[in-house]
Amino acid sequence: MTARTPSPGTRGTELAALEARYNEQRVLAEGAILGERRAALARLAMIAMFGVVTNLEGKSEAVRTVIGLVYTVFAVVTILVLRRLKGGDPRRALWRPLILMVVDFSLITTMALLDVTHGEPFSPGQHAIATAIVMSFAVARTSLVHVIGSVVLALISYALASGQGGQLRSHVTVFVMGGYVVLGFMIGITNRAVHHMFTGLRQRDNLTRFLPRQVAERVIKHGPKALAPIEREITVLFSDIRGFTGMSEGMGPTEVLTMLDDY
């Protein structure tokens, strides 16, 4: 059986589709960097909130202080690194947030476990809010993998902390864990909506620089196949105005345009 060789037009369309997909991933990666910068500021604000609560409660354990300082340094370094990043790398945009996510949940869980270990009662509300804040960072990230990962890590974090505090089987734990799933679902929907809006605006802006708006809208709606070559029977009319050169030499620009419009 002889394999069918794709036509040059088909190959060109496939290459255009691949290039469009890669460009979309780069756009999302660039947007993810902007999102991570804002998430980094939110992380620093959350750490400051932890510090205020710790001081108000009079907690001054050396280990907790060290972890707080480590988390603060991590947050500041993350902000500085993200400010220097330029351009979007789709691969790094996938694994970089996973590292940040693991560090966030690990440090939050460690602080909760330390409280329980030192005789402090487990605070479901405080831990639920902290993990929910970290989960919200996934809104601006590139993949649903980040959303699912944040939900899983939040569930593990709360299970470990509440289990250490003897509240794993309480109705509050069931409510909070169910809330994580619902919140993750909403974050996932928002994540997709933000991505579609961001890529759509960037794509429309780029296409309208080189194509008529009607063509650009068709490409956005139907993808690269909108530019695929097609065969069609058409009629072309070539027309000329006899003596136009000599006629236009004795007319002003406005008169020439008026005559052409009438013609």
Side-chain angles (χ1 to χ4, degrees), residues 25-39 82 85 87-90 92-94 96-97 100 137 139-143 146 191 194-195 198:
Q25 291 176 346
R26 286 187 61 87
V27 168
L28 291 177
E30 292 173 2
I33 292 176
L34 298 177
E36 286 294 347
R37 289 173 182 170
R38 287 158 179 77
L82 289 172
L85 289 179
D89 186 332
R92 293 183 179 180
L94 180 63
R96 187 189 293 120
L100 297 176
F137 297 165
V139 170
R141 287 168 175 164
T142 59
S143 173
H146 302 131
N191 176 279
V194 169
H195 286 181
F198 189 79

